Amino acid sequence: MMIWAAFAVIYLVWGSTYLAVTIALRSIPPFLLMGTRSVAGGLVLYACARLSGGLAPSARTWLYATGCGILFFVGCHGVLAYAQERVPSGMAAVLLATIPFWIVLLKLVLPGDDRPHAGVLALLIPGIAGVGLIAWQQMSSVGEGPSALDIALLIGAAASWALGTVLSERLQATSPVALSGMELVAGGLALIAIGFVAGEPDALVLADLTPASMLAWAYLTLAGTIVAFAAYVWLLRQVSPPLVATYTFVNPIIAVLLGWAVLGERPTVSMIVGVALVVASIAGLLWFSGQKAAAKHTEGSSGRWIAHGRSTRP
């Protein structure tokens, strides 16, 4: 029962965070929104790790976590919130779902022992085609929909998260919860600094904060960062990582449905077909990863062919 509940959390909560970001942005500037949310959630996670008996991380670990945190929360979350001021939440979720593709491509070009199989590269083709279809449809809608720049920013955000994941998984010197807390704090502080440089405090009028935006911020911090991540880490210890990673293709579906139901973001036929191609590609990647892991386990070897890193939710 606990396993089902944990899956429900990472499916529904992380899928709904795209909607929450859209609502919060109505009265909170993007960089301050993501920065304050990241710092608050990160401090809680880091405190939990230390109170449970974890050792104090070294200066080198903090430096490494800072670099990864900037990739995760500035390069991805900050850019996502900035673009989501104009991009529908469902479409943003679909473009962020390309993170597994970028992880595979990065593992192909970066040095390491876990280079992807040729069959995996073939599985990328439907997903890339799906993203291309969505982008082409949006850009061909003159005067409507997101700009080519916003689409490029979101694809770049996915690549930034993927690079942070590949680098972060190579650091095994501290617990996952502590490392995530450190990355959240470091990235959040950088986002807040960017917000100040961009003049966001002048645009943030406390009297204009809507109850809906404040509730969305609280939801992103408590449910999206703390509760869902705790469920994610717990699941990784209970079931196989490929099964846990199914959130990658469930989250965009949840985000599209919520955007349609709550915000009136009507998905086009091209977007639905694109979502199907992305989901099929990710499902194939996860299936292949599961087969590879099972084969290694049967042979008595340890390790994982592809990391299913951190969450792809905003």
Side-chain angles (χ1 to χ4, degrees):
M1 189 65 180
M2 287 291 294
I3 289 178
W4 284 106
F7 269 110
V9 167
I10 64 172
Y11 283 173
L12 299 177
V13 172
W14 278 346
S16 64
T17 51
Y18 292 91
L19 172 63
V21 168
T22 297
I23 295 173
L25 285 171
R26 291 174 178 174
S27 62
I28 305 176
F31 298 119
L32 289 183
L33 166 64
M34 289 305 203
T36 54
R37 170 244 180 141
S38 296
V39 170
L43 288 174
V44 171
L45 290 174
Y46 183 71
C48 289
R50 292 300 307 276
L51 291 174
S52 63
L55 299 176
S58 65
R60 177 181 176 276
T61 301
W62 267 109
L63 182 62
Y64 204 98
T66 298
C68 291
I70 289 174
L71 288 170
F72 283 136
F73 304 109
V74 177
C76 183
H77 280 191
V79 172
L80 169 66
Y82 173 75
Q84 232 181 297
E85 291 183 300
R86 298 166 298 279
V87 177
S89 60
M91 181 183 171
V94 174
L95 293 177
L96 264 290
T98 60
I99 287 173
F101 309 149
W102 289 107
I103 290 177
V104 172
L105 292 175
L106 286 169
K107 285 179 178 291
L108 183 66
V109 299
L110 294 177
D113 299 327
D114 53 351
R115 291 181 177 273
H117 189 273
V120 173
L121 298 178
L123 288 171
L124 295 178
I125 296 174
I128 294 172
V131 173
L133 179 63
I134 295 170
W136 174 82
Q137 191 275 331
Q138 292 294 330
M139 288 187 293
S140 64
S141 300
V142 181
E144 301 176 7
S147 66
L149 176 59
D150 285 329
I151 293 174
L153 285 173
L154 288 170
I155 293 175
S160 181
W161 188 280
L163 179 58
T165 297
V166 173
L167 296 177
S168 184
E169 73 181 11
R170 300 183 180 187
L171 182 64
Q172 305 295 337
T174 188
S175 74
V177 174
L179 181 60
S180 294
M182 294 159 65
E183 290 167 345
L184 278 161
V185 171
L189 290 175
L191 281 169
I192 292 173
I194 293 172
F196 270 85
V197 172
E200 287 190 348
D202 296 331
L204 180 63
V205 181
L206 296 181
D208 293 339
L209 286 176
T210 65
S213 289
M214 295 174 67
L215 286 174
W217 181 92
Y219 179 79
L220 287 169
T221 303
L222 299 175
T225 300
I226 300 170
V227 175
F229 183 78
Y232 174 72
V233 171
W234 182 81
L235 273 175
L236 287 176
R237 298 170 184 262
Q238 307 299 319
V239 299
S240 66
L243 184 58
V244 178
T246 54
Y247 77 83
T248 307
F249 59 87
V250 174
N251 287 172
I253 298 173
I254 298 294
V256 169
L257 291 175
L258 286 175
W260 190 355
V262 179
L263 301 176
E265 299 174 351
R266 294 187 177 275
T268 63
V269 174
S270 296
M271 184 171 180
I272 292 173
V273 174
V275 169
L277 288 171
V278 170
V279 167
S281 189
I282 296 173
L285 287 172
L286 295 177
W287 176 84
F288 194 96
S289 174
Q291 295 295 312
K292 193 81 172 181
K296 285 188 176 183
H297 179 72
T298 301
E299 295 169 2
S301 60
S302 60
R304 193 187 308 171
W305 166 78
I306 180 173
H308 295 285
R310 285 155 169 66
S311 66
T312 64
R313 82 309 172 242

